[in-house]
Amino acid sequence: MPTIQVPADLHRVLDEAWRTASKVPGFLLESEARFLGMAAACTPGQGAIVEIGSFKGKSTVMLAKVSQHYGLGPVTAIDPHNFNNEELHEYRTAAGSSSYDEFLRSIESAGVAHLVDVRRAYSSDIAKQWSQPIRFLWIDGDHSYLGAKSDFDGFLPFVLPSGIVARRPARVRGAHSRLC
């Protein structure tokens, strides 16, 4: 069974990554960002880092900065960028509005665009064609129970036995709920 190794410089790396990620608009709190960075850095084994739900790139930048430092490979960022979930409807300023351009600007200005495999699509469509092992899966797309469960079910077969799955709480009738 693989053991978790905490890099000696993790605290410094998380500080540096957060300094960059904190400049990106979004909802991710510093404590959440540090957890994501720690999970990505400490998960044993080889495999992809996959993020479902990127919005404007705050968590993407955090994950990519940590991945860059430790040589973990690209972060796959999956999001249709169309403000499709309940929490983002207020950001839709026009019928065709999108967070995509701002997302691209965020990863470019953070210097991590070359470390991000951008998938502008619904996660359910990507899951149907996914074939790579996953070391860390961050589910933060559709926050409804069914949306989060669909992401979990679609990608779980690819998560390594030593991998980590983290998600934002799903919402059921306005209340927080657990998937399992």
Side-chain angles (χ1 to χ4, degrees), residues 15-148:
D15 286 346
E16 290 173 9
W18 176 247
R19 267 194 295 281
T20 304
S22 67
K23 297 173 187 163
V24 177
F27 307 105
L28 191 71
L29 303 174
E30 181 178 356
S31 59
E32 294 170 316
R34 288 178 176 280
F35 170 78
L36 293 178
M38 181 224 30
C42 297
T43 302
Q46 299 296 309
I49 296 171
V50 177
E51 168 189 67
I52 300 172
S54 303
F55 189 44
K56 296 182 179 182
K58 189 174 215 126
S59 58
T60 312
V61 167
M62 185 71 185
L63 290 167
K65 290 301 253 183
V66 170
S67 181
Q68 180 179 38
H69 180 81
Y70 294 113
L72 303 175
V75 173
T76 300
I78 304 167
D79 194 314
H81 294 282
N82 64 359
F83 306 114
N84 62 314
N85 72 33
E86 259 181 58
E87 290 93 355
L88 299 179
H89 276 288
E90 67 186 73
Y91 293 92
R92 183 179 292 179
T93 55
S97 61
S98 166
S99 60
Y100 187 64
D101 290 339
E102 195 164 352
F103 170 78
L104 292 178
R105 279 192 300 278
S106 295
I107 62 174
E108 287 168 10
S109 64
V112 296
H114 66 288
L115 295 169
V116 181
D117 174 14
V118 179
R119 307 277 182 106
R120 187 177 184 187
Y122 288 99
S123 55
S124 57
D125 294 333
I126 300 298
K128 291 174 192 169
Q129 53 188 298
W130 192 266
S131 61
Q132 300 173 21
I134 298 172
R135 67 193 314 267
F136 179 54
L137 174 62
W138 168 231
I139 299 174
D140 187 24
D142 181 344
H143 293 181
S144 72
Y145 175 83
L146 292 177

